[in-house]
Structures are given as structure tokens and as C-alpha cells.
């Protein structure tokens, strides 16, 4: 059963073709890795599917429903949440308040005590490494990533997009992040993750889609794609 499908999606920025006629499917419950060199169009494709920057042409289906061009708010209410390559919480708000924004918006929990309890559960779930009343502008990179994840989970998505959630983490922090993402998958949440770190990709992804210069150059099981010569060449250049 597929939960998400992109059909012939292209995205142009002026004369630049950032995504060129890409189609892909995401099965319910799987972790799909969206990989490719810098500037390949990974974030642009996530945005196009999440409603942040709609496709120039092509369509997106979520649970078989055509959602092309819907706003991110609509997509959130349909069950899609995402983290950002550069997390930007409301800087003057505390950690708890930032998760509250998402909780109240996404879940329509109206009683404040219920909402606070829900936020605390989310922070616990991502093993947030500071107190909930820390002002967000003082957070370090790891804390920002965890907050962004807690915020995304607070709307109780069934489809989650992660954009380089593991970048900039130390070896130990990477292992923790892999465990947290596995836990989210085990809960039944489908995940599309943009990632560069091989350890994360090989540990978590069931399938990979590879982009290069906006084109899809590979799509298949992780082990097969990782050994595909065209993929090697995209990353490391042609062999002499
Ligand atoms: N809003 C925008 N306006 C103009 N060009 C853009 C815009 N967003 C992205 N691009 C361009 O589209 C191309 C794809 O960018 P994108 O950010 O999607 O790549 P990426 O695969 O996510 O790269 P990275 O691994 O560095 O995050 C790049 O050439 C980028 O400069
Ligand atoms: Mg990107």
C-alpha cells in the first residue's frame, strides 16, 4: 500500500530546473531515503511534496488523494509533518512553548493541561537534552534538531519528512538519533529522509531514491542502490 506518490514532478526556479520529471512512491510503514550530492534537488522535492513550494508541473498524491499545491497547513492536518535542514524555532519562546505551537495547531487539543502533557511526552520521546523552559535561541545544534523533531511529532503525523536530521552530530549522538528514528518507524509512522551520512542511510532506509542535477538516477532496495555504478559515479565522479 502506498501512502505517498509523486508523478512527473518538476520544479523550476526561473531558468533553473531544480527537479526534472521525478516520479516516486512511498509505501506505508517504510523508510525511504532520498539521497544525492549537494544541490541535487532533495530539499526542493520534499518542499514540493509538503506544499511549501508547489511543483511547477506534475502531481502529488497522499493516501490516494490529489494534494498537489495544497498549503503546508492543509498537509499537516492530513497527517504530514516534517523537520527542516536548518531548524528555526521561534527564538524567544521556550522549548515547551515551541512544541505547544505545533500541538495546538496540529492536534486541536484545547485544554492547556492536556496540551502541556502531550508536549512533555514528545520531548521525552526524543530524549530532549535540556530543560523544557530553555529559551530556544540559546539551543545548540543537537538540541535544535531534537526540538524540531519533537515539534514535528507533536502533530501526530502518519508521514514524516526528515531533512538531514543527523548532520553535524557526533558518533554517539548519531547512534541515539538512529535509535529514535527506529522507534518512530516502529510506531507505524512512514518516513522519507534526506540524508548524506552512510551509517544512517544503511541502518535505517528500506529503499533509496537518488537524485542528481534534479533527475532521478536510481530507485530500489538500499543494498542494490548502494552498489549501483551510476550512483557511485554521481557521488565520487567517474573512474579514471
Ligand atoms: N528558492 C530557490 N530559488 C532559486 N533556486 C533555488 C531555490 N531553492 C533551491 N534552489 C536551487 O535548486 C537546486 C536544488 O537545491 P536543493 O536545496 O533542493 O538541493 P539539495 O539536494 O537539498 O542540496 P543539499 O544537499 O545541499 O541540501 C540548487 O541549485 C539550488 O541552488
Ligand atoms: Mg537540502
Amino acid at each position: 500500500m502506498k501512502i505517498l506518490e509523486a508523478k512527473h514532478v518538476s520544479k523550476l526556479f526561473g531558468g533553473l530546473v531544480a527537479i526534472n520529471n521525478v516520479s516516486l512512491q512511498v509505501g506505508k510503514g517504510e523508510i525511504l531515503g532520498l539521497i544525492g550530492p549537494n544541490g541535487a534537488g532533495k530539499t526542493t522535492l520534499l518542499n514540493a511534496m509538503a506544499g511549501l513550494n508547489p511543483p511547477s508541473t506534475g502531481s502529488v498524491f497522499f493516501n490516494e488523494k490529489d494534494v498537489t499545491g495544497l498549503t503546508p497547513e492543509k498537509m499537516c492536518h492530513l497527517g504530514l509533518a516534517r523537520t527542516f535542514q536548518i531548524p528555526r524555532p521561534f527564538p524567544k519562546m521556550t522549548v515547551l512553548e515551541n512544541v505547544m505551537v505545533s500541538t495546538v495547531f496540529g492536534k486541536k487539543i484545547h485544554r492547556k493541561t492536556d496540551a502541556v502533557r502531550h508536549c512533555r511526552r514528545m520531548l521525552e520521546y526524543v530524549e530532549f537534552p535540556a530543560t523544557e523552559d530553555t529559551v530556544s535561541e540559546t539551543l545548540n545544534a543537537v538540541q535544535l534538531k531534537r526540538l524540531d523533531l519533537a515539534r514535528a511529532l507533536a502533530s501526530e503525523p502518519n508521514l514524516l519528512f526528515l531533512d538531514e536530521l543527523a548532520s553535524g552530530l557526533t558518533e554517539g549522538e548519531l547512534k541515539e538519533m538512529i535509535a529514535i528514528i527506529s522507534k518512530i518507524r516502529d510506531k507505524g509512522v512512514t518516513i522519507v529522509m534526506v540524508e548524506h551520512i552512510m551509517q544512517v542511510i544503511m541502518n535505517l532506509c528500506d529503499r533509496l531514491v537518488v537524485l542528481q542535477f534534479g533527475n532521478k538516477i536510481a530507485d530500489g532496495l538500499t543494498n542494490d542502490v548502494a552498489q549501483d555504478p551510476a550512483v557511485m559515479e554521481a557521488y565520487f565522479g567517474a573512474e579514471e
Side-chain angles (χ1 to χ4, degrees):
M1 269 274 273
K2 60 184 180 236
I3 185 168
L4 184 74
E5 181 168 22
K7 282 189 188 166
H8 305 291
V9 167
S10 294
K11 179 73 192 181
L12 284 75
F13 294 113
L16 176 86
V17 184
I19 298 290
N20 185 23
N21 194 24
V22 170
S23 297
L24 61 81
Q25 295 191 354
V26 185
K28 253 187 195 136
E30 77 173 340
I31 300 187
L32 176 75
L34 186 56
I35 69 169
N38 292 114
K42 304 178 297 293
T43 298
T44 303
L45 183 56
L46 279 195
N47 287 344
M49 297 190 295
L52 201 65
N53 214 335
S56 307
T57 57
S59 357
V60 181
F61 294 82
F62 184 27
N63 285 320
E64 311 288 338
K65 179 178 148 59
D66 189 345
V67 295
T68 318
L70 290 189
T71 61
E73 295 82 18
K74 274 262 164 54
M75 294 301 285
C76 175
H77 283 146
L78 288 173
L80 172 75
R82 53 96 51 96
T83 66
F84 290 85
Q85 193 165 350
I86 302 168
R88 288 198 184 88
F90 296 105
K92 302 290 177 197
M93 287 187 183
T94 66
V95 164
L96 186 74
E97 286 165 349
N98 264 299
V99 185
M100 274 293 259
V101 173
S102 172
T103 295
V104 173
F105 176 77
K107 288 203 68 222
K108 311 210 173 57
I109 298 177
H110 294 303
R111 276 190 44 210
K112 193 173 171 207
T113 47
D114 292 345
V116 168
R117 201 174 306 132
H118 179 74
C119 292
R120 290 194 172 128
R121 260 206 311 273
M122 296 301 118
L123 288 168
E124 223 168 90
Y125 196 82
V126 304
E127 296 159 36
F128 190 74
T131 56
E132 64 182 39
D133 51 8
T134 309
V135 177
S136 300
E137 66 185 355
T138 67
L139 298 176
N140 65 31
V142 183
Q143 294 167 333
L144 280 171
K145 300 238 172 202
R146 299 263 178 120
L147 171 58
D148 212 29
L149 185 57
R151 187 197 47 70
L153 291 173
S155 63
E156 302 209 307
N158 40 49
L159 177 61
L160 177 64
F161 287 177
L162 306 176
D163 197 351
E164 298 199 25
L165 192 62
S167 69
L169 303 185
T170 65
E171 186 65 26
E173 290 158 356
L174 265 187
K175 289 213 166 68
E176 287 172 12
M177 191 54 96
I178 290 172
I180 293 168
I181 296 171
S182 307
K183 192 166 72 171
I184 297 169
R185 182 247 304 270
D186 293 346
K187 244 181 22 167
V189 178
T190 305
I191 297 174
V192 178
M193 60 190 312
V194 170
E195 195 49 78
H196 285 292
I197 301 169
M198 273 330 262
Q199 186 189 347
V200 178
I201 295 167
M202 298 310 288
N203 264 290
L204 289 173
C205 297
D206 302 302
R207 228 155 44 78
L208 298 177
V209 163
V210 188
L211 295 182
Q212 184 187 27
F213 303 124
N215 298 297
K216 185 170 97 169
I217 60 163
D219 182 340
L221 295 174
T222 299
N223 284 324
D224 298 342
V225 170
Q227 289 167 23
D228 183 335
V231 175
M232 303 265 194
E233 190 176 321
Y235 271 94
F236 305 115
E239 296 236 354
E240 291 290 302

